[in-house]
Each structure stands twice: as structure tokens, then as C-alpha cells.
Amino acid sequence: MSAGQPVPAVGAPSYGWRLASVRGIPIYLGRSWPFFAIFVVFVLGSKVTQPTTLEQGGTYGYAVGLGYALLLLASVLLHEGAHAVTAARTGHRVDRIVADLMGGHTVYSGEQSRPGASAVIAIVGPVTNLVIALLAYVAYQQVPPSTAYLLLGALYYSNLFVGLFNLVPGLPLDGGFVVDALVWKVTGDRNRGLIVAGWVGRVLTVPVVLGYVGWGVRGGATQPTQLIVNFAIAGLVGAFLWAGATNAIRVGTTGRAIQRVTMARVLRPIALVGVGESLAQAMQRTGPVQGAVIAVDEGGRPMGIVDVAAANAVDAAHRAQVTVASVVARQPDGWVVAADPDSSDVSGVIDAIVSRAKSPQGMPQIVLVVDRSGRPLGTVSLADLDAALDA
């Protein structure tokens, strides 16, 4: 599981085909989904029996298979829509909903999240599937053998399975986010919650995969072709679960490493010069500096970083006639970050840098840290952050 934005601009990442939007949240059909649909159509289509003629497979079977694939898509979108609407109502900025090969996912900002809200956002997805299963079952009991009967039956069983499967208490499944929220609530550490839920997800991957294979064999999947398909699906599900759990552990471990890096460790000193000053005045006043030289306007607002090499290249006889503005290197949007200088970690600075990654100018390599009043404190570079995290 994982918020609205317009269709991505040129150069922005593509999430697939945009289908619609709900409350400003764009819904995309991932480019991998047609492969899933084709698989469902061919696997189910060959097994469907026409209710009146009792003919198996054929055009009728594949048509029912296509109908089932579309019902699955609707179920996935309702599941993810429940995540998205709940996330929006609990104060999160929801970026997008995507249906793809592995089902679907909802992307939303987690900066303002709390354990309780995180658990509720997670649980509404599988609950939605279980409600769909209940409604499909009630309708299924009321109709005679027909195409609707076949589709309602398939809708019931698939949503019952998806709802229960997603309640498995390990990441990346929704039940894992509930475990994450519980550990987070008890310990006060979201990163510890991710690590614990990730390891639970890893541990549960093996019995889930073996259980799926055993269920298939017990259900009659004993022919070579059936066994190959069964093992392929089990392998795909196992790889998805293991990769998601591993990613959660990695994110949690990185987050805990970030918590150990203090602002003082990566904050470099700066010198401030007026953008309208002459180079002679600025260089005489600052002298040799250990860190960056920041040009500010008359109101004290940062305008850019002085290119010291370019300033030194100006002939000394002409520096009184050249202003600082001529040697200022303009920075990408978002290069100024507000932070608490007494912060025990640099997570706020990292979040601010990463949030600029999607801008046309890309992620800034160096940021100017200012306090809440806008007073410049120093610079932090990505290289220094990487070195501190590696250490």
C-alpha cells in the first residue's frame, strides 16, 4: 500500500494510462496490468463451462474470463480507493492510485501520519474487499446458473481471498501496516515498526508460498502444465512479498541511521555577502572562508551561492567595479530549507531535499539551512549526508 496531481508533465515519470480521478486523486492503469488481464483470460477462459450447453472453454469461456478480469480491476480500484479516501480524510496528501500487475497501490505523503491513522488507512482496503465478497455472495445465492452466476461466484471467492490475504500481518501487505502501527504506537519509533513488520513479512513469506502450492495440488493441479502455472504464481507472489518486506526493513534501518546523524555533524559554516556589494568589499570583509559564501539581498533573503573561483579570477584592479551579483551561481528551487538547528537528527532536511526530487531542476546537491525566522545557519550537502550515513 502505499496522493491530487495532474497528468505528469513531459519528463515526469509515467504511471500508465490515466483512467479518471476521485476527489482530485488521479487513477492510473499501470502498463503491466494488461499482462495480468491476459493471464486471467487464458487461465480462466479454458476452464469455464457454459451453463446451458455445458461446453467448456471456447469463445464463451474467454469472454467470461475477460469479464472476470474487469471485475478484478474494479475490486482493486475500490480497495485502493478506500485507502486513498481515508488517507485524504486523515490529512494526508494523496498523490495517485495505480492498478498494476501485482494488484495495485496507493501513494500518499506520510510526513504527518500517526499510528492510529496509519492502521485505519491500511485496514479499510481489505475490509472493502470483504464487503464486496459479502454483497457478491448474497447476489450469487439469488441468481440461477448463468453468466451472472459465474461472475458473481468468481467475484465472491476472489474478494474473500484478497481481503483475508491482505490481513496477513507482515509487510508489504495491509496487515503488515497494522503491525507497523502497533509497534510504532508502543515504542514511539516508526522505523522500528517498519523493521519488525518487515521481518514478520519475511518469516510469513515461506508458509504463504508453500500453502499456496499445497492448496493448488490439493485442488487438483497435478498435471505438468498446471503445476508449472501453480509454481510460477507462487514464485511471483513469494518474490513480491519478500521484496516488499526487504524494502520495509531497508527503509526502517536507513531511518534509524538518519536518527543518529545530528545536524551539527553535517552543517557547514557560511559567510554572508550582499548581492549588491562590490567584490572588493565582500572579499575584504569575509577573507578566507571554510564553507560556502551566500549572497543575500537587502532584506537578507538568500539569492544564491557565490562562485568563489569566478570571484578570485576577477582581476584585483577591477573588483571594486564588479558586484557580487555577477559571480552568484543560481540554485535550483527548494535549495533553502527551514530546520531547527538544535534538532537531534537530519530527517527534516532529508525529507525537504527528497521532496524536491520531482522538480524539473532535480534534487539540489546542496541546501542552505535557515531557522524558523529565515536566518541562514549553514549548508548541508548530499555528499556530506551520504558520508555521515555510511559512517
Side-chain angles (χ1 to χ4, degrees), residues 64-201:
V64 172
L66 177 60
Y68 176 52
L70 294 175
L71 286 174
L72 276 179
L73 174 61
S75 299
V76 166
L77 294 179
L78 287 171
H79 174 113
E80 299 302 332
H83 287 317
V85 171
T86 306
R89 287 185 173 179
T90 52
H92 298 77
R93 181 182 59 81
V94 186
D95 184 67
R96 62 189 179 275
I97 296 171
V98 182
D100 54 22
L101 180 64
M102 298 310 299
H105 59 274
T106 300
V107 180
Y108 64 92
S109 62
E111 294 92 343
Q112 305 301 320
S113 189
R114 294 293 182 268
S118 180
V120 172
I121 293 169
I123 206 71
V124 293
V127 167
T128 298
N129 289 116
L130 295 177
V131 170
I132 295 171
L134 177 62
L135 295 176
Y137 178 77
V138 171
Y140 175 68
Q141 299 296 314
Q142 306 302 317
V143 298
S146 60
T147 302
Y149 177 84
L150 294 174
L151 291 175
L152 286 170
L155 188 65
Y156 161 65
Y157 285 110
S158 61
N159 275 276
L160 180 63
F161 171 77
V162 170
L164 295 176
F165 181 66
N166 267 283
L167 291 175
V168 172
L171 287 174
L173 299 174
D174 293 322
F177 283 95
V178 176
V179 173
D180 164 34
L182 180 60
V183 175
W184 181 9
K185 179 69 175 179
V186 172
T187 66
D189 186 351
R190 174 69 189 276
N191 294 309
R192 187 182 296 275
L194 288 171
I195 294 171
V196 171
W199 274 107
V200 173

Side-chain angles (χ1 to χ4, degrees), residues 189 191-192 195 249-263 265-266 344-347 350 385-391:
D189 186 351
N191 294 309
R192 187 182 296 275
I195 294 171
I249 295 171
R250 183 182 298 115
V251 170
T253 302
T254 301
R256 300 199 75 189
I258 289 172
Q259 290 175 337
R260 294 193 292 269
V261 178
T262 62
M263 184 74 73
R265 185 174 176 181
V266 294
S344 60
D345 65 69
V346 294
S347 57
I350 292 177
L385 284 172
D386 285 342
L389 290 174
D390 287 342

Side-chain angles (χ1 to χ4, degrees), residues 205-229:
T205 294
V206 175
V208 166
V209 171
L210 293 179
Y212 181 85
V213 172
W215 174 73
V217 172
R218 187 175 181 181
T222 56
Q223 298 300 315
T225 302
Q226 294 173 322
L227 286 174
I228 291 173
V229 171

